[in-house]
Amino acid sequence: MRLYAVVAVGGFRRYATYRVATAAGVFTNTVFGFIMAYTYIALWDQRPHLGGYDVSQALTFVWLGQALLMTCAMMGGGFEDELIERIRTGDIAIDLYRPADLQLWWLAGDLGRAAFHLVGRGIVPMILGALAFDLALPGSPLTWIAFLVSVTLGVVVSFALRFLVALSAFWLMDGAGVIQIAWLAGLFFSGMLLPLNLFPGTLGDIARALPWSSLLQVPADVFLGKHTGWGLLGAYAFQCGWAVALLGAGRALQSVATRRVVVQGG
């Protein structure tokens, strides 16, 4: 496990070197945060308590979305492009023969990336949003800890989804189309555009049951105190269930791809 801890630290340091890009990302997240915040204010003025949120909670949801956009890679931007390129060029064969698990290697690096984006691109927009608007910030340290646990699980679910997308390149050779479909689904079904509690009827039930809700909707509801006690354990169980299922699917697909590489190499 020490190896993967080193890889995670390396992932953090790798993204920390892009200081100008980070500053630009903070600016972009802040600008879009203000645009969405005023849009939500107009919407909640017409429909108070829409989706079970008051206006303060709705604004908090906006700024949490900006903080978690890159943390949970809702629009991609993680390891998947690099992994697809290694599959396309055949360099993946070297990775598969290394004495390290392919899935755990990329997961460790992605956790490092997510930790940097949470600190580097999440904190400043959240502070600016709290200064400009009346946000519903938790008063208990336990809620903050519960939120960080949920965010971590959301990052793992996000990784598992993107790992499956990247492995599709073994058969498609060009994963650009799959990546675009994945990030569109991530934006829509995570709650980034609108909280999933606003979706009506069956669409809302389906959206909340899909794995992408683990990326923003679930952590945001934990932050807002919507999940407490057994409800909090249920939220964790939901995220863990998707993480285990998707990681298991990724490992199965990785095994099939490995056998394919071995046969072709032989």
Side-chain angles (χ1 to χ4, degrees):
M1 295 304 295
R2 182 179 178 183
L3 169 64
Y4 302 112
V6 171
V7 173
V9 172
F12 186 97
R13 290 178 176 174
R14 174 184 179 183
Y15 283 88
T17 60
Y18 302 113
R19 298 176 184 176
V20 175
T22 299
V26 169
F27 175 78
T28 302
N29 287 138
T30 303
V31 169
F32 275 97
F34 275 96
I35 293 172
M36 293 187 67
Y38 284 113
T39 302
Y40 273 44
I41 288 173
L43 180 59
W44 259 258
D45 280 345
Q46 296 298 317
R47 298 284 300 276
H49 300 288
L50 185 62
Y53 301 126
D54 59 30
V55 66
S56 180
Q57 291 173 327
L59 291 172
T60 305
F61 195 101
V62 168
W63 290 102
L64 286 173
Q66 295 306 310
L68 298 181
L69 177 62
M70 287 302 296
T71 301
C72 292
M74 287 177 243
M75 293 183 66
F79 67 94
E80 55 271 25
D81 289 331
E82 183 179 352
L83 180 53
I84 287 174
E85 181 62 17
R86 294 189 68 81
I87 294 172
R88 190 186 66 80
T89 61
D91 291 340
I92 190 67
I94 300 173
D95 300 335
L96 292 172
Y97 281 112
R98 285 174 179 165
D101 184 81
L102 182 72
Q103 189 182 59
L104 288 178
W105 176 281
W106 290 101
L107 173 58
D110 200 58
L111 288 173
R113 175 207 59 79
F116 171 76
H117 282 308
L118 182 62
V119 175
R121 289 185 59 168
I123 292 179
V124 173
M126 194 72 185
I127 292 175
L128 293 175
L131 291 174
F133 303 97
D134 180 24
L135 302 188
L137 301 177
S140 171
L142 294 178
T143 303
W144 287 92
I145 294 172
F147 168 69
L148 291 176
V149 172
S150 185
V151 169
T152 302
L153 293 174
V155 171
V156 175
V157 172
S158 172
F159 164 82
L161 286 165
R162 289 176 289 123
F163 188 70
L164 286 170
V165 168
L167 290 184
S168 69
F170 274 107
W171 291 269
L172 300 178
M173 295 306 297
D174 183 4
V178 180
I179 285 179
Q180 289 194 2
I181 292 173
W183 75 253
L184 284 172
L187 279 179
F188 187 78
F189 289 112
S190 66
M192 187 66 201
L193 299 180
L194 279 174
L196 301 183
N197 293 343
L198 275 62
F199 290 11
T202 303
L203 175 61
D205 294 336
I206 293 174
R208 288 187 292 272
L210 292 174
W212 290 282
S213 65
S214 298
L215 279 57
L216 173 57
Q217 184 68 53
V218 175
D221 281 341
V222 171
F223 188 88
L224 294 171
K226 300 292 185 179
H227 297 302
T228 58
W230 288 107
L232 179 60
L233 293 179
Y236 287 162
F238 173 81
Q239 290 179 293
C240 287
W242 272 117
V244 170
L246 293 170
L247 288 173
R251 186 160 294 278
L253 200 61
Q254 175 185 320
S255 298
V256 173
T258 301
R259 288 196 295 269
R260 181 178 181 181
V261 170
V262 171
V263 170
Q264 290 179 347

